Amino acid sequence: MRTERDSMGEMQVPDNALYGASTQRAVLNFPVSSLRFSRRFIAGLGLIKLAAARTNRDLGLLAAEQADAIIRAASEVVDGTLYDQFVVDIFQTGSGTSTNMNANEVIANRAIQLMGGKMGDKTLVHGNDHVNMSQSSNDVIPTAIHIAAAQGVQQDLVPALKVLHAALDRKARDFGSVIKVGRTHLQDATPITLGQEFSGYAAQIQFGIERIERCQASLHELALGGTAVGTGLNTHPDFAARAIAEIASMTGINFIEARNHFEAQASRDAIVELSGQLRTVAVSMLKIANDLRWLSSGPRCSIFEITLPEIQPGSSIMPAKVNPVICESVMMVAAHVMGNDTCVMVCGQHGNFELNVMLPVIAYNALESVELLASAARNFTNNCVIGIEANVERCLDFAEKSLATCTSLAPKVGYDKAAKIAKLAFEQDKTVREVAREMGVLDEKELARVLDLMSMTRPGL
């Protein structure tokens, strides 16, 4: 152990730790869980510290030697080299101050090493005075949340959803001629093509992508520069714009200074909005996965209109059983994301006066949802959707047996007679076509035209 100091006095810190007294206090104060900030969030913190050091140097506020060392150390945070030094629990101070200080101390001590000094020598680099210059936890943590969320959405989630959409759209086209029974209220309904059914799934994902992309503009506004309460106390007038321009340049994302710093720190509405859209995507993915699970159910005693890829044994006791495990995995991810959204929603309500005081858990849950949905979408595509096959004969057989085909008879023979035909077909275990032919309600040519199953799927053509 070595002795480090902060404003509260001395603290024993592990010799191999780059963090200092403030971080060690937080480690001892919050032994709550094993949850930590994600690599992407910590990298976002590193970007902020790097951009701030570069900007403060260029504004003449920070000595070049100190700034350059901080920039090198912050770069190691960005690339993940120092990730193991970020040790504070998610369930900590609501502003995330402990994690901001964790970053300040790690970067300061690493910068001191790079300058050839001894860790803890604050005359070389001070965590608060130099690394945290022109910043506050209250603007840094919200900024890191937005950076990490925007990067996660742009780099991982949207690309994964686009691949899933493309796979579903391809199946919609491949299955365009496969006639099957539609189902409403879990009961037989008029015919549909399997392609039309899959086109609905593809559209759900496409609309989800559009919803997520629409809320990106809000994420691109950064709170950096507002410092403690949004006024920008202790910053150079040009700091925020210049530091954020640095962040935009490094990330390739069009980040801009918040139009209103008080909103940017007191509320987390942009993340609440994103989380709500992530929940919507989760709902869509659960619906699709559950439909595929049902459509593949069987193989002998249920629907079995499609076949999913067989990827692992399904039972420890029933030989040869295969289960729709990828669909079930997606459904569990979706449920977890919905739970995360509830947490984010509740936490978003606690923007008390000038600061939200549940920032760490907002960050953890929202970023986890981005990562989970992206991973689940990729896995869903690769291990399930692209390998789906249609059981064409079974689809057609169900469509022909559906009593709802009587619907197209109604304009010709009336609702009541069409209903009678359907009831007789059910009682006699016959098709609507067979009973209608036996009753002679239409001549054979007209009956064939009216009960053409493909025509029922595209009545306007």
Side-chain angles (χ1 to χ4, degrees):
M1 304 292 283
R2 71 176 190 273
T3 301
E4 286 235 10
R5 294 170 180 80
D6 62 8
S7 61
M8 294 185 71
E10 293 185 348
M11 196 72 193
Q12 293 298 299
V13 177
D15 278 333
N16 62 350
L18 285 173
Y19 54 81
S22 182
T23 300
Q24 183 63 21
R25 291 187 198 280
V27 169
L28 297 176
N29 287 339
F30 306 111
V32 181
S33 75
S34 61
L35 303 183
R36 302 292 182 266
F37 279 104
S38 68
R39 288 180 176 270
R40 178 168 270 135
F41 178 89
I42 296 302
L45 269 181
L47 280 170
I48 294 166
K49 302 302 177 181
L50 193 163
R54 190 175 288 164
T55 301
N56 286 323
R57 178 196 64 193
D58 294 348
L59 290 172
L61 303 175
L62 186 61
E65 184 182 14
Q66 290 172 321
D68 292 345
I70 290 170
I71 289 168
R72 289 175 60 191
S75 296
E76 294 181 7
V77 174
V78 174
D79 66 25
T81 304
L82 305 180
Y83 181 70
D84 65 342
Q85 296 293 316
F86 288 84
V87 293
V88 182
D89 200 288
I90 283 293
F91 301 103
Q92 53 166 283
T93 174
S95 62
T97 297
S98 298
T99 293
N100 185 41
M101 282 306 304
N102 194 167
N104 292 333
E105 291 178 340
V106 166
I107 292 170
N109 273 327
R110 179 60 182 142
I112 290 168
Q113 287 182 333
L114 293 170
M115 294 173 71
K118 181 180 179 181
M119 283 198 298
D121 183 358
K122 296 181 180 181
T123 62
L124 288 177
V125 179
H126 194 291
N128 299 81
D129 294 340
H130 302 133
V131 181
N132 200 59
M133 181 182 286
S134 305
Q135 305 151 63
S136 163
S137 302
N138 299 353
D139 63 351
V140 164
I141 299 300
T143 297
I145 295 172
H146 278 215
I147 292 171
Q151 287 183 310
V153 166
Q154 180 172 300
Q155 296 171 4
D156 292 340
L157 180 55
V158 168
L161 290 176
K162 285 183 175 179
V163 172
L164 176 57
H165 169 264
L168 290 167
D169 187 61
R170 176 60 183 270
K171 291 299 175 183
R173 288 181 276 116
D174 290 347
F175 299 153
S177 62
V178 180
I179 301 170
K180 56 157 288 177
V181 62
R183 293 183 178 87
T184 59
H185 302 273
L186 299 182
Q187 305 297 304
D188 301 342
T190 55
I192 190 174
T193 69
L194 190 60
Q196 288 171 326
E197 198 163 42
F198 270 75
S199 76
Y201 303 150
Q204 278 188 279
I205 300 302
Q206 179 59 42
F207 296 156
I209 293 169
E210 292 172 6
R211 290 184 179 101
I212 289 171
E213 289 180 335
R214 281 198 297 269
C215 72
Q216 290 310 288
S218 299
L219 284 182
H220 292 171
E221 292 195 26
L222 301 185
L224 190 64
T227 62
V229 295
T231 62
L233 182 66
N234 290 356
T235 62
H236 188 285
D238 296 333
F239 171 80
R242 294 177 66 161
I244 290 169
E246 291 278 357
I247 293 169
S249 176
M250 288 186 286
T251 60
I253 297 175
N254 187 32
F255 290 116
I256 61 173
E257 184 178 354
R259 288 171 289 174
N260 186 295
H261 280 279
F262 305 101
E263 185 277 340
Q265 291 178 212
S267 81
R268 295 271 50 83
D269 291 352
I271 292 294
V272 171
E273 178 187 14
L274 172 65
S275 182
Q277 302 297 9
L278 297 177
R279 180 199 64 221
T280 303
V281 171
V283 169
S284 295
M285 289 177 63
L286 193 151
K287 184 264 194 289
I288 295 165
N290 200 33
D291 272 12
L292 298 184
R293 190 170 70 100
W294 279 104
L295 290 173
S296 66
S297 61
R300 287 191 171 177
C301 302
S302 194
I303 298 175
F304 201 54
E305 291 178 344
I306 63 172
T307 301
L308 304 182
E310 297 185 355
I311 61 171
Q312 68 181 55
S315 174
S316 62
I317 188 173
M318 293 175 282
K321 192 173 190 294
V322 179
N323 296 330
V325 292
I326 300 299
C327 294
E328 292 165 356
S329 171
V330 170
M331 291 164 65
M332 287 187 283
V333 165
H336 193 89
V337 169
M338 293 174 205
N340 282 352
D341 176 62
T342 298
C343 180
V344 171
M345 175 191 68
V346 171
C347 292
Q349 298 172 31
H350 288 275
N352 309 130
F353 305 113
E354 277 65 63
L355 180 68
N356 183 286
V357 292
M358 292 196 175
L359 296 178
V361 77
I362 288 176
Y364 184 88
N365 283 23
L367 296 179
E368 182 185 56
S369 291
V370 171
E371 293 174 4
L372 285 175
L373 286 175
S375 296
R378 286 192 295 269
N379 196 45
F380 194 24
T381 302
N382 296 332
N383 287 324
C384 182
V385 174
I386 62 175
I388 294 173
E389 296 180 0
N391 298 324
V392 179
E393 292 183 4
R394 192 171 182 90
C395 287
L396 182 59
D397 182 55
F398 279 162
E400 179 65 22
K401 289 178 178 178
S402 172
L403 301 178
T405 57
C406 74
T407 304
S408 62
L409 285 173
K412 297 292 183 179
V413 304
Y415 185 96
D416 290 340
K417 183 170 284 189
K420 181 178 180 181
I421 291 170
K423 290 178 180 179
L424 285 173
F426 180 69
E427 291 170 2
Q428 299 172 12
D429 194 23
K430 296 178 179 179
T431 67
V432 167
R433 190 187 308 274
E434 290 170 336
V435 172
R437 182 181 292 121
E438 290 171 1
M439 293 178 63
V441 295
L442 295 171
D443 64 56
E444 188 62 31
K445 183 178 180 180
E446 180 68 359
L447 185 64
R449 187 189 69 79
V450 171
L451 293 181
D452 180 85
L453 299 179
M454 183 58 81
S455 294
M456 293 184 201
T457 70
R458 47 188 185 186
L461 299 180

